[in-house]
Every structure is written in structure tokens, then in C-alpha cells.
Amino acid sequence: MMALRKWITSSLVLILGIGLILPTMIWASEAEQSGTFTMKVSSQMPNQGDTIEVVIHAQELIDVYAFEINMAYDPTRLTFIDAKSDVPGFSVPPLVKGTNIQIAHTKIGQGKGLEGEQSLFKMHFKAIKNGRSDLTLSSVKLVDSKLISNTKLTNTRTTLTIHDPYHFDDLDSFDWAVEAIEALASAGIVNGTGERQFSPGAAVTRADYLVLLMRALGLQGTDRGEPFDDIEEGVYYAQPVTMSRALGIVQGDESNQFHPKASITREDMMVLTDRAMRVSKHLTVEGDQEDLTAFEDNAMISEYARKPVATLVKIGLVHGYENGVFPVETTNRAQAAVLIYHLQTFIKVKN
């Protein structure tokens, strides 16, 4: 069986390659007339995770004994699964290199090749990332029963628009945060900034992170505590901030100001998270200096934030990136969502 398979593979390679060696002048006019090609896609607006079928169809075939198809695709948005032909004969395993896929098939035995209309291949892809993605049928090489070959440059193109099946369309560059953002959106903990927009790279204010934290932990408390001088009565974050002050999560500065509209730093985000988890009795352990040694920038962590940051690292809520924890950088919406998501996962596992 193995020997037969090797013979068939060798035969197909010979058939597809021999046209480069043999003269083609005698049959050139007939070979050039053979074949026009179309590409039909099962869905041009698939959801991320969907399987897409692409059918390569031929018309006006004249004595086609073997054929080779070259396809260009975007491997960052599509994963190639397989290619199958209903034409009797044998297919060579697909050759996938970079953005190109080459598939080939030949009939077996004596006799004339395909005539007229025929589905040549059915290819399957998985949509893995939302956005626009082109599929291009670059060329089709045909070989007739006399082993005369002709390559047709088709450049037939179709554009897919892959949609995230959830809430937001602007998470392309934030793959690491998609699961967290979508889960929190489904639970009503985070909201978008516009129609199917989350603005993952936008900075998070101190007030907004506190609102998110209180909502995620379901924290309740009195709203009759001392108000901050820089928070207007009736704004959407006034009650959560006042509640968190009564619970000891926030303190404000010496001027009795909270600075609600200032962007929150990564270390302050971790400090507030640590305090809120302790108030809600979800956190009892404490980290230490040893938990920070993996980060090359750990000396930049403020003294008041060192223990909270170390604690969140210790329990796995914070992992950092590029060998750093970047304590004084501004927190963006994606980072805040990931921390809240990890927090909720930690609580579920613990309980």
C-alpha cells in the first residue's frame, strides 16, 4: 500500500512537472482555451471560530487530466484545515508555505481528461481573528492526457469580513484581552464606548476603575461618608467612590481630593484591587519582595504599592509583560478588564 501511494505521488509530480519539459506548440491553442475558474465561499461574513468552505469550480474544461491550484490567504486571520477533490484519482498533500497554499490532483489510468464543468477542490479554513481577509486564487495549472500543460493566472479574489461573535470589533491588537473583555461585557461589568467599540487602548480614570472594581466584587456600603472636595454631587461615580471611602478602599490626599478624572497608574490599580479584595474577605495572604524579583523594573514600584503588587503577583492576578510590571505607566481599558477578569476567576476557584 505504501509503495502504491509513493508511485501515485511520484506520477502526479511527473505529470504536473513534465509540461515544463515537453514542447507545447502543437496543442497550445487548445490548451489555452481550456478552463475558466470561479471561487465560491460559504460565507463572506463569518464569525470568529467558524469553518469556511471555499469551492474552486471550473468551466469549459478540455481534456484536463491533472490540475494544480495556487491560493494566497492571510494566515493571521485564517487557519487552513484541508482540501479535498471529488474528481476520481489522487491528490497530493497540500503544500502550505507562508501565505501560499498549493494543491494538486490527477486522474489515474488511461483515457481522456475532464470535460466541461467540474468542481475541482473544496478547501476548508477556520476564521481565527476578526477583520478583513482576502482569499486569492492566484493560478491554475492544467495538464491534459497528452501531458501538455498550461498555467492560467487568474487572480480571482474574494474578501471575507470576519466578525467577533460577541460585542466589540476593535480588539484586533488585543488578542490577549479578548476573552476577559467579552466575558465581563456579557456579565454587564464593562461597557463599550460606542457601537461595537471598546477602545481597549484608552486610559482608565481613577473613578472609572473604582466603579468597575466595586461592581465586579458586588461591594456595598454606606454612601453617607465624608465626600471628596473634587467630586461633584450626582455624577455617576460619586456614590461608588463615597462607598469605597467608607469601606477604607480609598483615602484621598491631604487636600481631601480623589482626582477622579486622572488616569490611574498600574500600581494604583493594584493597590485598590488589593484593598477591595481584603475588604470583601477574598484575600488574606500577603506577598513580599521575593515575588517581585522576576520583574526588571521592580525598583520603580512605589513603597506604598510594593506589598499589594507583590500580593497580586503571588496569587496569579498579575503576570506583567516583557519582564516588567510597568508600575507607573497608565492603565488602559484592556489591562483593567484583564485584571478584573483574573480577580473573578480567582474568587470562583477559591470558593
Side-chain angles (χ1 to χ4, degrees):
M1 187 67 182
M2 182 65 72
L4 175 61
R5 184 178 181 86
K6 290 175 68 176
W7 176 83
I8 294 174
T9 302
S10 299
S11 299
L12 179 52
V13 172
L14 175 63
I15 289 171
L16 291 171
I18 202 167
L20 299 176
I21 303 171
L22 294 180
T24 61
M25 293 297 293
I26 298 176
W27 298 275
S29 60
E30 183 176 274
E32 288 175 1
Q33 292 173 9
S34 179
T36 59
F37 307 94
T38 58
M39 180 170 52
K40 184 177 180 181
V41 201
S42 58
S43 173
Q44 289 191 284
M45 299 184 68
N47 286 327
Q48 185 176 322
D50 285 356
T51 297
I52 305 151
E53 183 174 81
V54 180
V55 179
I56 309 300
H57 201 79
Q59 299 86 25
E60 302 174 358
L61 297 178
I62 303 173
D63 187 25
V64 173
Y65 195 86
F67 47 89
E68 174 189 279
I69 292 170
N70 291 281
M71 172 84 74
Y73 77 117
D74 181 356
T76 67
R77 299 189 187 277
L78 296 171
T79 295
F80 173 66
I81 300 174
D82 62 22
K84 298 177 181 179
S85 179
D86 294 331
V87 176
F90 178 78
S91 295
V92 170
L95 177 62
V96 182
K97 188 174 182 180
T99 61
N100 297 300
I101 303 170
Q102 187 179 86
I103 50 180
H105 187 88
T106 182
K107 295 183 69 177
I108 298 174
Q110 296 182 350
K112 290 203 68 174
L114 302 171
E115 299 281 345
E117 188 173 341
Q118 177 69 51
S119 173
L120 301 182
F121 266 106
K122 292 179 181 176
M123 307 174 69
H124 296 97
F125 296 85
K126 182 176 181 180
I128 58 173
K129 185 177 180 181
N130 61 312
R132 292 170 65 86
S133 180
D134 287 340
L135 278 171
T136 304
L137 179 60
S138 309
S139 65
V140 179
K141 182 177 182 180
L142 304 177
V143 181
D144 65 18
S145 60
K146 303 180 185 70
L147 302 185
I148 304 303
S149 68
N150 178 45
T151 299
K152 291 181 173 288
L153 301 177
T154 61
N155 288 319
T156 301
R157 178 178 300 176
T158 187
T159 299
L160 307 178
T161 303
I162 302 169
H163 287 285
D164 192 305
Y166 302 106
H167 298 80
F168 307 111
D169 291 333
D170 60 346
L171 304 180
D172 281 7
S173 301
F174 294 82
D175 292 351
W176 48 271
V178 170
E179 181 182 359
I181 292 169
E182 294 293 352
L184 295 182
S186 296
I189 294 171
V190 299
N191 300 311
T193 57
E195 182 67 28
R196 295 189 64 83
Q197 299 294 300
F198 185 73
S199 304
V204 178
T205 66
R206 289 168 53 80
D208 281 347
Y209 184 72
L210 195 56
V211 170
L212 179 62
L213 187 59
M214 297 286 281
R215 189 183 297 163
L217 288 171
L219 285 172
Q220 300 292 326
T222 177
D223 60 352
R224 297 178 182 177
E226 181 186 359
F228 290 106
D229 291 341
D230 59 348
I231 294 184
E232 300 175 10
E233 186 177 348
V235 295
Y236 68 91
Y237 51 78
Q239 189 175 39
V241 172
T242 306
M243 282 183 179
S244 65
R245 188 177 199 180
L247 291 169
I249 298 171
V250 298
Q251 298 165 345
D253 63 15
E254 64 277 1
S255 302
N256 193 39
Q257 295 197 345
F258 178 67
H259 305 284
K261 297 180 181 179
S263 298
I264 193 168
T265 62
R266 285 172 53 80
E267 66 178 8
D268 281 353
M269 173 181 68
M270 298 177 212
V271 168
L272 293 184
T273 303
D274 177 270
R275 291 176 184 170
M277 291 182 72
R278 293 187 189 282
V279 166
S280 61
K281 308 259 190 278
H282 292 303
L283 186 59
T284 55
V285 302
E286 288 188 351
D288 55 33
Q289 178 60 35
E290 189 174 335
D291 297 303
L292 301 175
T293 56
F295 304 111
E296 295 175 358
D297 59 353
N298 77 83
M300 297 177 63
I301 303 173
S302 302
E303 190 59 36
Y304 71 88
R306 296 190 71 79
K307 187 164 285 188
V309 173
T311 300
L312 297 195
V313 170
K314 184 183 186 73
I315 64 175
L317 264 65
V318 171
H319 304 284
Y321 57 97
E322 296 178 358
N323 299 320
V325 72
F326 303 93
V328 295
E329 284 196 2
T330 298
T331 299
N332 62 38
R333 285 169 56 83
Q335 292 168 341
V338 167
L339 180 54
I340 293 297
Y341 181 67
H342 286 168
L343 179 155
Q344 290 195 320
T345 303
F346 172 81
I347 292 172
K348 288 177 183 177
V349 172
K350 185 180 176 183
N351 294 338

